[in-house]
Amino acid sequence: MKKNLFVLMAVLVLASMILSACGGASTPAAEAPAAEKPMKIAFFVSDMSNVFHQMQATEAQKYAKEKYGAEVFIFDGKSDGAVMTQNVDQVVAQGMDAATLHIWDAEAAKPGVQAALDKGIIMTSFFSPLADTGIPTARSDEAGVSFAMGVEMAKQWKEAHPDKPIVMVQLGWPNHTEVKSGRTDPFVKGVLSVDPDATDLGCQDASKGPDAAKQIITDLMTTHPEVNLIYSEASNLTIGTMAALEQAGRGKMDNGKPLTEIVASVDFDEVEMKSVYDPNSSLKLSMGLPPVETARGRIDLIMDVKAGKVKPTSQPAEEFFYKAYTISFWTMPGADAAKWLNDQFGTNVSAPEAPAVVEAPAAREIVMPGDRFFGEGVTVTSDGTFYAGSMEEGTIVKAAPGSDEAEPFIAAGENGLVSVLGLYADEASNTLWACSSDAGNSKLKGTAPVGVKAFDLKTGAVKGSYDFPGGGFCNDLTVDAEGNVYATDSWTPRILRLTAGSKALEEWINDPQFGAEQWSLNGLDFDQANGVIYVLNQRLGKLFRVVVEADGSAGAVTLIETSQELRRPDGLKLIGPNTLVTVEGGAGAVAVITLDGDKGEVRRIEAGLDGVATFAYYDGSAWVVENQGDHFWDPTNAGPDATKPFRIVEVLLD
């Protein structure tokens, strides 16, 4: 009996334990959902020993973590194409969710890229499209900076040595598609835009590094000692370039004035800073590639693919360009260059010491002919030839380099000129572009429609005439790197464009933000490095930025907030990175505008002139048209007669 009772109790205990383990009738606790794993991104760099790539890698890890909660893993290519290709295979092997690649041998890497895409991994490329995979590509705007450096070097050389023809050479990778399109070709184009007769020795193969660059320059000193513009297309090549020049007794300047040659580089860093801002070294410019902005752009591109904003693949591959900077002894103050380095590379560089103060030369002037010239438009070529137009006479005059008097160049009414306003000397196409308008108060009023006129820059021969569609008032002109002409309409809030090679003006943008009232839009200029056009509203004293999209169409319009009111600004020129100049008819002054994002710091220089119109920028100065315009626009109150002479007056900007 006791035995049976014991067995029964044991069975009951066991049953209780089983029910308890199974939860019985009680409700089981809900399991917590698994936390989403952070996205794993492979970030390729070609060589981690390079300080640019070191900073890129550091910023990519920090930025991806803070903004997207993603983890970034650095893949070092060790300057070896084979290693880079092997790293592509690790994207799948290591379970990456995305990768931004930097590859030297695209064809070899292609199978690994395709395998990753088949696994649903987001793949993007940096610097160059990856064969025909079609993956999106992040690139720096190297072409814009290369072009700008070519222009500046050519101008500086011609100003210092007008009697010595330009002979240029490039050192780099002549067979590399992206280096050719981003560095070599636009540099040459920039030089030729200033001097179409310049000699190009071509791109020499320095792909084996600084020793190869040194030997190339050493050989050139014998075979082509006349070479004077050198584009060293990477900072390591510049080391060899400068060593060879110095060994040959060259590489010199005299307080910023070229003596033997001018050298430009790429990958501006702390080492190059010392030479670029040494007034006696011939290394005077370098392309600044910003690691912080570049790293962020590469990460953002991956996230845009993830969000569906960018297609994973397309044919051809989509390319997204990020800003690069022109670092120049002549146009970027040393303090700004030091700040740029410190911001981008985490350095602690101090601004170079300012050079000793030199007494400024006396301001120069050019006298216009006639009693009623009433000048408005003015432009200048790289050799110092000035052109000016008359609102009253409908003529264009010309002043030879160094001359203090202008002579007749294009006769009254030629090619339908009525009142001549904006002028633009396009040396690349040997064309003098002119705005011809009619406010009903000039000698030739009513004789021809409003439009843009084209003349041969050297002979004055007629090259073309393009009417404003629907009429209007053509005020100012600019030309982009492709030869497209842009003109403001002061009577309508629009900018017109004459596409290179076309036969008619078209409305590029019409936006009420520009000001719907008559006499609104005035000066404009094109910023090649940033792919934008800046334009002024004269009536309201406003400055706008218009994006030029990749297909050439007008993009977003942004109002720039200026630190001071612009007083009837007339004419606009980009004179350096993020630096604009305009003249103020309401203040008789010149305004220098330093841009920082959507803001502009205004520094005003009093000119003390009798009525100012627009200006030309030459030799570091604004050459302002003193037009005494009140006698032209309001003769009833001001009187019809001006006080001779009409002048173009140099205003020093420093």
Side-chain angles (χ1 to χ4, degrees):
M1 181 66 182
K2 289 182 178 179
K3 181 178 180 182
N4 291 338
L5 180 60
F6 176 79
V7 170
L8 177 61
M9 290 178 67
V11 170
L12 290 172
V13 171
L14 181 61
S16 175
M17 292 173 65
I18 293 172
L19 287 173
S20 176
C22 293
S26 62
T27 303
E31 293 185 8
E36 183 178 350
K37 293 182 179 180
M39 188 177 186
K40 296 172 65 177
I41 300 174
F43 192 94
F44 281 45
V45 296
S46 60
D47 183 3
M48 271 295 281
S49 67
N50 180 291
V51 66
F52 171 77
H53 295 303
Q54 292 170 13
M55 292 304 300
Q56 258 208 107
T58 300
E59 179 62 23
Q61 291 176 319
K62 177 175 178 286
Y63 180 71
K65 185 71 173 178
E66 291 178 355
K67 185 170 183 179
Y68 300 108
E71 294 183 14
V72 167
F73 299 83
I74 308 302
F75 287 68
D76 183 7
K78 302 182 184 299
S79 287
D80 187 325
V83 172
M84 297 174 197
T85 301
Q86 293 167 10
N87 286 344
V88 174
D89 298 331
Q90 291 302 308
V91 171
V92 174
Q94 295 189 27
M96 296 291 143
D97 300 302
T100 169
L101 310 176
H102 192 174
I103 297 297
W104 286 0
D105 190 344
E107 288 298 329
K110 183 177 172 181
V113 172
Q114 193 58 57
L117 289 171
D118 292 343
K119 292 282 187 180
I121 298 172
I122 297 171
M123 302 294 282
T124 65
S125 179
F126 170 63
F127 190 72
S128 58
L130 207 149
D132 59 356
T133 60
I135 62 176
T137 302
R139 294 183 66 180
S140 298
D141 180 24
E142 298 190 350
V145 174
S146 295
F147 180 90
M149 291 198 299
V151 168
E152 186 169 3
M153 291 167 72
K155 288 182 176 180
Q156 291 289 344
W157 183 262
K158 286 177 72 67
E159 182 180 340
H161 301 285
D163 57 332
K164 293 183 179 180
I166 289 178
V167 179
M168 62 179 141
V169 70
Q170 309 86 48
L171 278 67
W173 293 262
N175 298 316
H176 192 292
T177 302
E178 276 64 49
V179 173
K180 188 174 187 298
S181 65
R183 300 180 188 178
T184 307
D185 290 351
F187 170 77
V188 173
K189 188 174 182 181
V191 173
L192 294 177
S193 73
V194 174
D195 184 0
D197 297 324
T199 299
D200 180 22
L201 301 180
C203 185
Q204 310 300 306
D205 188 355
S207 58
K208 292 184 179 180
D211 289 341
K214 183 177 181 181
Q215 188 60 53
I216 290 169
I217 295 297
T218 299
D219 293 343
L220 282 174
M221 293 301 96
T222 301
T223 59
H224 290 283
E226 71 277 14
V227 67
N228 44 46
L229 298 188
I230 301 173
Y231 189 15
S232 174
E233 297 179 341
S235 59
N236 65 326
L237 303 184
T238 306
I239 295 171
T241 296
M242 296 307 297
L245 289 171
E246 291 165 7
Q247 183 175 298
R250 295 180 50 161
K252 298 177 180 179
M253 286 205 176
D254 179 12
N255 199 29
K257 180 182 178 180
L259 294 179
T260 54
E261 71 283 314
I262 306 174
V263 181
S265 185
V266 176
D267 295 329
F268 180 70
D269 57 19
E270 190 172 357
V271 174
E272 286 196 347
M273 172 89 182
K274 297 175 182 177
S275 295
V276 170
Y277 287 93
D278 176 353
N280 299 316
S281 167
S282 65
L283 175 58
K284 279 290 149 281
L285 306 97
S286 184
M287 183 187 300
L289 297 175
V292 171
E293 296 171 40
T294 304
R296 292 178 180 180
R298 293 175 68 180
I299 296 297
D300 286 341
L301 180 56
I302 285 174
M303 293 305 178
D304 284 346
V305 175
K306 182 183 179 184
K309 297 178 182 178
V310 175
K311 294 179 181 179
T313 61
S314 61
Q315 294 297 340
E318 287 189 85
E319 294 184 78
F320 300 84
F321 289 85
Y322 304 98
K323 188 174 180 179
Y325 294 80
T326 304
I327 313 295
S328 166
F329 171 84
W330 294 294
T331 61
M332 179 181 278
D336 292 351
K339 184 179 185 302
W340 186 89
L341 272 178
N342 295 338
D343 290 346
Q344 292 293 333
F345 290 90
T347 54
N348 189 27
V349 175
S350 299
E353 292 183 10
V357 176
V358 178
E359 185 177 350
R364 296 162 284 181
E365 68 178 44
I366 301 171
V367 175
M368 303 295 103
D371 297 331
R372 297 187 57 78
F373 187 81
F374 294 115
E376 217 283 345
V378 63
T379 188
V380 62
T381 57
S382 57
D383 68 353
T385 301
F386 280 82
Y387 302 81
S390 168
M391 292 188 294
E392 170 71 4
E393 306 287 350
T395 60
I396 297 175
V397 297
K398 176 180 177 180
S403 174
D404 58 5
E405 291 186 1
E407 302 290 341
F409 182 55
I410 296 173
E414 183 73 16
N415 196 20
L417 289 177
V418 181
S419 281
V420 181
L421 280 92
L423 295 174
Y424 191 99
D426 183 8
E427 294 182 74
S429 64
N430 189 39
T431 303
L432 176 64
W433 297 99
C435 268
S436 177
S437 291
D438 189 354
N441 58 343
S442 70
K443 280 186 178 180
L444 298 174
K445 63 184 179 182
T447 58
V450 171
V452 174
K453 310 296 181 180
F455 302 89
D456 187 287
L457 188 60
K458 296 177 181 176
T459 67
V462 172
K463 296 182 72 173
S465 179
Y466 311 90
D467 293 349
F468 257 40
F473 194 92
C474 183
N475 192 302
D476 204 3
L477 299 156
T478 191
V479 178
D480 67 19
E482 303 303 320
N484 304 309
V485 181
Y486 301 80
T488 49
D489 186 345
S490 290
W491 289 359
T492 305
R494 64 178 182 167
I495 299 173
L496 303 178
R497 182 175 70 170
L498 179 66
T499 305
S502 66
K503 297 182 179 180
L505 286 159
E506 60 182 359
E507 191 170 87
W508 185 61
I509 184 172
N510 189 322
D511 193 319
Q513 291 184 74
F514 292 148
E517 294 182 276
Q518 197 176 43
W519 306 117
S520 288
L521 288 185
N522 192 292
L524 80 169
D525 205 8
F526 177 69
D527 182 350
Q528 167 71 17
N530 294 306
V532 299
I533 281 179
Y534 292 100
V535 63
L536 287 165
N537 177 309
Q538 182 183 44
R539 176 185 288 271
L540 300 177
K542 291 184 175 181
L543 172 64
F544 298 90
R545 180 178 63 236
V546 186
V547 172
V548 181
E549 301 289 7
D551 62 359
S553 63
V557 177
T558 303
L559 174 65
I560 305 298
E561 180 183 346
T562 54
S563 62
Q564 298 183 52
E565 175 190 6
L566 297 175
R567 304 170 189 173
R568 283 199 291 115
D570 195 331
L572 187 68
K573 292 287 182 289
L574 182 78
I575 67 166
N578 301 316
T579 306
L580 298 167
V581 171
T582 184
V583 296
E584 297 178 294
V590 176
V592 180
I593 308 167
T594 304
L595 301 172
D596 184 7
D598 297 340
K599 295 186 177 181
E601 184 70 24
V602 177
R603 176 172 63 91
R604 183 168 286 118
I605 302 169
E606 299 299 329
L609 302 178
D610 183 9
V612 299
T614 187
F615 74 104
Y617 179 72
Y618 178 70
D619 199 18
S621 298
W623 293 71
V624 181
V625 176
E626 184 186 49
N627 71 344
Q628 306 181 61
D630 54 345
H631 302 284
F632 177 79
W633 294 110
D634 189 15
T636 301
N637 293 312
D641 299 321
T643 302
K644 291 172 50 179
F646 292 93
R647 303 182 300 165
I648 298 172
V649 181
E650 179 187 23
V651 177
L652 305 176
L653 298 183
D654 294 327

